[in-house]
Amino acid sequence: MKRLLRTAVATLLAGTAAVFFLAAPASAGVLDVTCTPPSSNLNQYDPPLTLTPQSVTVSTTALYGPCVSASHPSITSGTRTASVATTSSCADLLGPGSITYTITWNTGQTTTISSTFTRVVAGAVYTVAATGVVTSGLFAGDTVVTNFTGPATDITLCTLGLGSVSSISTLGTLEITSL
């Protein structure tokens, strides 16, 4: 009988706790802009990355769109381009990192974002997931979440010493949310 009573009390307490936590108000912000596929990111490496670190030029073109913004309805797309000389190998395409970049929206307005990211290969899929904050420009102070995926075949072969990576193309989403 004591065991039955303890079970009933434990079930009641667990149910009460679940109702309490489920009923708590959400503190999520307002989605200021969201860009969905075919939003894309293309990184090109000249010369192609190998397993051995070497001097390369990395050219990035990111195309965001279609985009929807309730607070700025004229925003429908954005772009980001960059070119940087660095020393790199295909092993550097995995793991964590940080970046600061600027998106130019179709309206001519800009948003500068500082974020940290992780890059992983799972099976045949390469995923880059990032979180950050808008440091200046349109949506300053907002949080940013991106998630881009693409094929991992070249990266996997390169990290095994069996090939090189001349480019990486990914598709994904960008969300900018006010606090």
Side-chain angles (χ1 to χ4, degrees), residues 94-120:
L94 302 172
S98 62
I99 188 171
T100 297
Y101 59 95
T102 299
I103 297 172
T104 301
W105 302 106
N106 63 290
T107 60
Q109 296 166 297
T110 60
T111 298
T112 300
I113 297 167
S114 181
S115 68
T116 58
F117 56 84
T118 59
R119 300 167 294 183
V120 298

Side-chain angles (χ1 to χ4, degrees), residues 1-174:
M1 184 64 164
K2 283 184 178 180
R3 186 154 123 198
L4 181 60
L5 183 58
R6 277 187 286 195
T7 302
V9 169
T11 303
L12 179 61
L13 289 175
T16 303
V19 169
F20 175 77
F21 287 111
L22 290 175
S27 61
V30 175
L31 189 61
D32 276 329
V33 66
T34 184
C35 303
T36 57
S39 291
S40 63
N41 190 45
L42 173 64
N43 289 329
Q44 296 177 303
Y45 307 95
D46 184 24
L49 296 175
T50 65
L51 193 52
T52 304
Q54 63 181 335
S55 294
V56 297
T57 299
V58 181
S59 300
T60 300
T61 303
L63 304 174
Y64 301 101
C67 301
V68 175
S69 174
S71 60
H72 292 81
S74 57
I75 290 179
T76 58
S77 64
T79 60
R80 170 175 63 97
T81 59
S83 184
V84 63
T86 187
T87 299
S88 191
S89 75
C90 55
D92 296 321
L93 298 173
L94 302 172
S98 62
I99 188 171
T100 297
Y101 59 95
T102 299
I103 297 172
T104 301
W105 302 106
N106 63 290
T107 60
Q109 296 166 297
T110 60
T111 298
T112 300
I113 297 167
S114 181
S115 68
T116 58
F117 56 84
T118 59
R119 300 167 294 183
V120 298
V121 169
V125 178
Y126 179 63
T127 300
V128 181
T131 59
V133 64
V134 177
T135 58
S136 65
L138 192 60
F139 310 118
D142 283 12
T143 60
V144 180
V145 175
T146 62
N147 190 358
F148 282 78
T149 61
T153 305
D154 288 349
I155 298 167
T156 300
L157 290 173
C158 185
T159 57
L160 293 172
L162 302 173
S164 62
V165 178
S166 60
S167 66
I168 298 174
S169 181
T170 56
L171 295 175
T173 59
L174 165 79

